[in-house]
Amino acid sequence: MTITIEDVRETAQLARLELSDEELHKLTRELDAILGYMQQLAGVNVDGVEPTTHAVPLELALRDDLLGPHLDVELALADAPRRRDDFFEVPKIIETGAGTLAGGEGGLQ
């Protein structure tokens, strides 16, 4: 499989990235090379190799997820410019369909 410039252009559009022609060509070459390396790795025999997440043994020092001190809802929302019930009210930033991504004419939603 090869990465085409159209693949990169479509991915950039989905990620809302504006790329110059030079950037499109460069990324196409780089992503195609990465895909080639992945295909090489897919051919490596890993029978009997234990799956790992790190190259060296690692102990994760995670704390318990305990409820600690927190603000009361009324205190947290006391200075909110706008609120709806127990929530902050903020401008709508994503429209459905062919609308805009930020702001929009709908005001606060």
Side-chain angles (χ1 to χ4, degrees), residues 3-67:
I3 298 291
T4 66
I5 197 163
E6 286 306 315
D7 294 329
V8 176
R9 184 176 281 124
E10 182 179 350
T11 303
Q13 181 182 10
L14 291 171
R16 294 183 173 40
L17 298 174
E18 187 175 324
L19 301 175
S20 69
D21 286 342
E22 181 182 326
E23 291 171 317
L24 280 171
H25 289 287
K26 180 181 178 187
L27 282 173
T28 301
R29 286 189 309 273
E30 290 176 352
L31 290 171
D32 194 52
I34 291 169
L35 184 59
Y37 295 132
M38 297 303 293
Q39 288 172 337
Q40 283 182 336
L41 287 174
V44 173
N45 181 1
V46 293
D47 290 341
V49 177
E50 188 73 26
T52 62
T53 56
H54 298 312
V56 295
L58 180 67
E59 290 279 330
L60 293 179
L62 299 177
R63 64 173 175 78
D64 290 334
D65 191 12
L66 302 173
L67 183 61

